[in-house]
Amino acid sequence: MAHLDDHGHASAQVFDRSGKARWTTGAGDLDSHYQAPSATFELWVFLLARDSFTGRSATISEVRKWLEQVGGVHLYHRGLRVRPYGDEGHDWLDMNLRRARSPELRPSTNTSVGRVTVLDASGELLQRTDRTGFIENEAFRDLRRFAVEALEWMQARRLDEREARRAEERRQSEERAEKADRSLKQEIDKLEPGAQRAVTQAADEVASAHASERDLLREDLKVYKTLASVGTAVSVFAHEIDGPASDLTTSVQAVERRAQKALAAKYATTMASQIEAVKRSATLVARFATLPLGMLKKSKRRRTLVDANEAIRDTLALLRPYLDDARVEVDCDLSDDDPHVHGSVADIEAIMSNLLTNAVKAFRTRDAGLRDRVVAVRSSVAEGRVLIGVLDNGPGIRPQFANRLWLPGITSDENGTGLGLTIVRDTVADLDGEARAIAQGELGGAEFIIDLPVAGSPR
Ligand SMILES: Nc1ncnc2c1ncn2[C@@H]1O[C@H](COP(=O)(O)OP(=O)(O)O)[C@@H](O)[C@H]1O
Ligand SMILES: [Mg+2]
């Protein structure tokens, strides 16, 4: 709950679900110079985790459905709801963008519902004549800034709290390990000398096996942290570039029309080809810009029954401009059995997009030659498994990479990350499947086979 008073001074409080105040703003936490009419901002944030729903009368999926309908922050002006604020797709506080930038503990329009209420007695907020909300004057901008900064403040408190909890958990688990170690030593001391040596050795082996497992996990974690920051940077880029990219397209169309008019017959010989080139580039920029946005859709990460063929086709459609640009012909032959797997659309998309971009990259290497580029994508069902094949007629996998392909950081590309196939392997493992590679497959180039259990079939 946040308040903005008549003097532009803001304060906020966060309550837990029993209504007890958890945090209250102190001096300097929020600005005291907002140039906006006084307002109240209320937000209910739902912790959509299974364990926060045990023993409650509503189920998590009911609440999710309800939030899909009503989620987001609405704006009430003199008791009346002002559209489009808080309408689906109209995230005026950029909650979803901010969450994409740093997903930790932030509410999104799918996990919260709220309202900003303003009386605006002196009429500082001005409705647009076409009734599509308020004019973006200083009063409106500062009203929004007040709500956004209150959210930021809450986020900071939640992060602090989680940090403190983590530090405490780390301290406790170190303490537990030390205690276990001490009691093991005490027990060993009670043994016969011969048995003491044998047990000490066995205990050391257990400890070092755990240590190396932990090191491996830490390495994996580093890989995923790098990827996470790349991902968030890309999502921000995609949001920011979307507008300029479509402006570019409209502007160049306008230039084309005017140049045709002004130059008449001379247009074709003087400017046409350059304008065509700009138009083509603008289209590509716009398409590529929206590509990550398509992948980021939250619904795609939900684990359900996924129609494998449909997810494959969707990924191909998403990558279409990229494949066309690389002049790759895709030969798609999917099973009529309509296989479904347990997982999320994002899983299949991660697998397919990594394999497809790898094939395109292989075509662009020096060893690839000048043949027509073909990628075959296949799916087939046999004995409760769906096999997805991605094959190309590129140069094939280099022998020195054959065994280590799936490890993080292994790449033959100087601009590569070597993470693509690691992600493929991990994602396939999450789906209880296996991934295999053939250096020179049926089309002469690399062949990748993803082998997944069909949902509903016995293992
Ligand atoms: N379709 C392919 N054809 C030839 N080599 C491939 C193919 N796919 C993957 N590779 C090899 O596997 C390596 C690792 O791939 P990956 O993990 O996706 O990392 P990156 O794409 O960053 O190089 C590539 O650098 C390449 O040498
Ligand atoms: Mg790759």
Side-chain angles (χ1 to χ4, degrees):
M1 174 88 84
H3 288 288
L4 178 60
D5 70 16
D6 287 336
H7 310 289
H9 185 101
S11 60
Q13 266 188 312
V14 177
F15 303 87
D16 66 16
R17 68 180 172 204
S18 67
K20 206 171 80 204
R22 285 277 282 281
W23 303 298
T24 304
T25 44
D29 278 350
L30 287 176
D31 200 350
S32 44
H33 304 287
Y34 294 103
Q35 303 289 322
S38 66
T40 307
F41 174 21
E42 297 151 279
L43 183 76
W44 288 262
V45 180
F46 292 79
L47 306 174
L48 293 174
R50 297 244 165 252
D51 55 2
S52 28
F53 277 81
T54 41
R56 318 219 114 219
S57 53
T59 67
I60 191 164
S61 54
E62 281 167 353
V63 172
R64 233 185 223 126
K65 268 211 200 87
W66 175 69
L67 284 172
E68 252 165 44
Q69 301 291 315
V70 304
V73 175
H74 302 172
L75 178 56
Y76 285 82
H77 186 245
R78 297 178 184 161
L80 291 176
R81 162 104 202 271
V82 184
R83 305 197 88 134
Y85 307 105
D87 279 355
E88 201 180 337
H90 192 95
D91 178 17
W92 64 296
L93 301 179
D94 279 340
M95 291 170 83
N96 299 335
L97 175 56
R98 273 167 232 280
R99 185 178 163 94
R101 274 185 207 165
S102 75
E104 311 228 325
L105 309 175
R106 278 179 197 270
S108 75
T109 57
N110 294 320
T111 62
S112 63
V113 50
R115 66 178 172 209
V116 170
T117 324
V118 270
L119 206 53
D120 186 24
S122 49
E124 291 170 67
L125 295 171
L126 306 171
Q127 291 246 20
R128 285 186 221 249
T129 44
D130 61 359
R131 301 251 141 206
T132 55
F134 291 110
I135 292 170
E136 298 253 341
N137 59 9
E138 184 172 34
F140 180 76
R141 277 197 304 270
D142 262 21
L143 179 69
R144 175 164 57 202
R145 186 167 67 87
F146 149 71
V148 165
E149 288 175 356
L151 287 173
E152 294 289 311
W153 170 80
M154 173 173 74
Q155 154 80 354
R157 298 288 75 70
R158 293 177 81 186
L159 270 178
D160 287 351
E161 183 187 67
R162 202 196 50 180
E163 267 319 296
R165 197 173 59 228
R166 275 197 180 167
E168 175 60 18
E169 278 168 8
R170 257 196 303 274
R171 199 189 57 72
Q172 279 179 7
S173 84
E174 273 166 29
E175 212 170 62
R176 252 203 357 249
E178 275 165 29
K179 211 170 129 203
D181 212 36
R182 270 200 308 278
S183 69
L184 180 65
K185 289 216 171 78
Q186 278 166 12
E187 295 302 322
I188 290 175
D189 283 342
K190 294 180 194 159
L191 300 173
E192 310 270 296
Q196 263 186 23
R197 252 196 315 280
V199 175
T200 306
Q201 202 185 343
D204 287 350
E205 269 163 29
V206 171
S208 88
H210 280 313
S212 61
E213 194 186 354
R214 207 165 45 227
D215 290 347
L216 281 178
L217 283 175
R218 281 211 184 106
E219 282 304 307
D220 276 4
L221 195 62
K222 270 190 219 151
V223 169
Y224 280 94
K225 272 194 186 144
T226 313
L227 283 175
S229 42
V230 173
T232 47
V234 166
S235 76
V236 172
F237 169 80
H239 274 283
E240 303 289 334
I241 207 73
D242 199 23
S246 47
D247 289 350
L248 194 59
T249 306
T250 16
S251 302
V252 70
Q253 282 164 350
V255 170
E256 180 185 35
R257 278 194 304 275
R258 286 183 198 177
Q260 278 168 343
K261 212 164 172 191
L263 295 169
K266 267 161 66 188
Y267 176 78
T269 50
T270 52
M271 286 183 76
S273 66
Q274 285 94 330
I275 298 250
E276 277 313 312
V278 177
K279 266 166 65 182
R280 206 180 87 87
S281 305
T283 315
L284 272 182
V285 170
R287 285 205 201 132
F288 277 107
T290 47
L291 195 145
L293 293 181
M295 296 194 146
L296 275 166
K297 283 207 185 101
K298 190 172 171 224
S299 56
K300 289 189 173 177
R301 290 195 293 276
R302 205 164 290 153
R303 257 185 99 87
T304 47
L305 271 189
V306 180
D307 180 335
N309 290 344
E310 189 182 315
I312 292 171
R313 272 191 224 105
D314 285 352
T315 318
L316 283 170
L318 211 56
L319 293 176
R320 175 94 297 150
Y322 176 63
L323 295 164
D324 285 349
D325 189 52
R327 294 187 315 280
V328 173
E329 186 200 320
V330 179
D331 168 16
C332 189
D333 181 14
L334 304 180
S335 160
D336 294 329
D337 291 332
D338 211 17
H340 282 61
V341 298
H342 280 297
S344 68
V345 174
D347 290 331
I348 305 285
E349 214 165 74
I351 296 167
M352 292 305 296
S353 60
N354 274 303
L355 296 179
L356 291 165
T357 51
N358 278 351
V360 170
K361 283 210 289 190
F363 285 131
R364 287 178 162 155
T365 57
R366 222 174 296 131
D367 347 343
L370 289 172
R371 74 202 108 191
D372 286 342
R373 299 164 169 182
V374 179
V375 172
V377 176
R378 297 176 185 162
S379 71
S380 61
V381 178
E383 292 169 27
R385 316 281 300 183
V386 49
L387 297 184
I388 301 171
V390 178
L391 308 70
D392 63 66
N393 68 343
I397 297 165
R398 299 187 191 187
Q400 66 268 38
F401 286 95
N403 298 326
R404 299 175 303 142
L405 219 56
W406 307 98
L407 299 177
I410 299 296
T411 174
S412 57
D413 170 4
E414 60 181 299
N415 297 315
T417 58
L419 298 177
L421 290 179
T422 306
I423 295 168
V424 171
R425 182 199 57 184
D426 289 357
T427 310
V428 171
D430 280 348
L431 301 176
D432 284 328
E434 277 168 37
R436 298 187 284 275
I438 302 169
Q440 248 87 38
E442 213 184 292
L443 295 187
E447 173 166 348
F448 288 87
I449 299 152
I450 308 300
D451 179 343
L452 305 172
V454 172
S457 309
R459 295 232 180 104

PDB file of all heavy atoms in Angstrom, residues 354 357-358 361 420-421, ligand 2:
ATOM      1  N   ASN A 354      18.538 -24.251 -30.909  1.00  0.00           N
ATOM      2  CA  ASN A 354      19.983 -24.465 -30.829  1.00  0.00           C
ATOM      3  C   ASN A 354      20.486 -25.346 -31.972  1.00  0.00           C
ATOM      4  O   ASN A 354      21.525 -25.061 -32.565  1.00  0.00           O
ATOM      5  CB  ASN A 354      20.359 -25.075 -29.481  1.00  0.00           C
ATOM      6  CG  ASN A 354      20.555 -24.008 -28.426  1.00  0.00           C
ATOM      7  OD1 ASN A 354      21.373 -23.111 -28.609  1.00  0.00           O
ATOM      8  ND2 ASN A 354      19.796 -24.067 -27.355  1.00  0.00           N
ATOM      9  N   THR A 357      20.255 -23.273 -35.314  1.00  0.00           N
ATOM     10  CA  THR A 357      21.265 -22.216 -35.464  1.00  0.00           C
ATOM     11  C   THR A 357      22.652 -22.831 -35.637  1.00  0.00           C
ATOM     12  O   THR A 357      23.472 -22.295 -36.371  1.00  0.00           O
ATOM     13  CB  THR A 357      21.268 -21.216 -34.285  1.00  0.00           C
ATOM     14  OG1 THR A 357      21.328 -21.951 -33.072  1.00  0.00           O
ATOM     15  CG2 THR A 357      20.042 -20.346 -34.268  1.00  0.00           C
ATOM     16  N   ASN A 358      22.900 -23.964 -35.000  1.00  0.00           N
ATOM     17  CA  ASN A 358      24.184 -24.636 -35.217  1.00  0.00           C
ATOM     18  C   ASN A 358      24.348 -25.060 -36.674  1.00  0.00           C
ATOM     19  O   ASN A 358      25.431 -24.925 -37.238  1.00  0.00           O
ATOM     20  CB  ASN A 358      24.299 -25.874 -34.330  1.00  0.00           C
ATOM     21  CG  ASN A 358      24.728 -25.520 -32.923  1.00  0.00           C
ATOM     22  OD1 ASN A 358      25.095 -24.383 -32.647  1.00  0.00           O
ATOM     23  ND2 ASN A 358      24.687 -26.502 -32.038  1.00  0.00           N
ATOM     24  N   LYS A 361      25.140 -22.105 -38.717  1.00  0.00           N
ATOM     25  CA  LYS A 361      26.534 -21.690 -38.506  1.00  0.00           C
ATOM     26  C   LYS A 361      27.506 -22.605 -39.240  1.00  0.00           C
ATOM     27  O   LYS A 361      28.501 -22.152 -39.789  1.00  0.00           O
ATOM     28  CB  LYS A 361      26.864 -21.683 -37.007  1.00  0.00           C
ATOM     29  CG  LYS A 361      26.299 -20.469 -36.300  1.00  0.00           C
ATOM     30  CD  LYS A 361      27.146 -20.062 -35.116  1.00  0.00           C
ATOM     31  CE  LYS A 361      27.029 -21.066 -33.979  1.00  0.00           C
ATOM     32  NZ  LYS A 361      27.650 -20.566 -32.752  1.00  0.00           N
ATOM     33  N   GLY A 420      25.349 -23.973 -26.553  1.00  0.00           N
ATOM     34  CA  GLY A 420      24.133 -24.426 -27.227  1.00  0.00           C
ATOM     35  C   GLY A 420      23.829 -25.894 -26.965  1.00  0.00           C
ATOM     36  O   GLY A 420      22.738 -26.253 -26.521  1.00  0.00           O
ATOM     37  N   LEU A 421      24.810 -26.737 -27.226  1.00  0.00           N
ATOM     38  CA  LEU A 421      24.550 -28.168 -27.074  1.00  0.00           C
ATOM     39  C   LEU A 421      24.464 -28.578 -25.606  1.00  0.00           C
ATOM     40  O   LEU A 421      23.822 -29.570 -25.274  1.00  0.00           O
ATOM     41  CB  LEU A 421      25.617 -28.975 -27.817  1.00  0.00           C
ATOM     42  CG  LEU A 421      25.525 -28.871 -29.343  1.00  0.00           C
ATOM     43  CD1 LEU A 421      26.627 -29.677 -30.008  1.00  0.00           C
ATOM     44  CD2 LEU A 421      24.165 -29.355 -29.836  1.00  0.00           C
TER      45      LEU A 421
HETATM   46 MG    MG B   2      25.343 -23.293 -30.885  1.00  0.00          MG
END
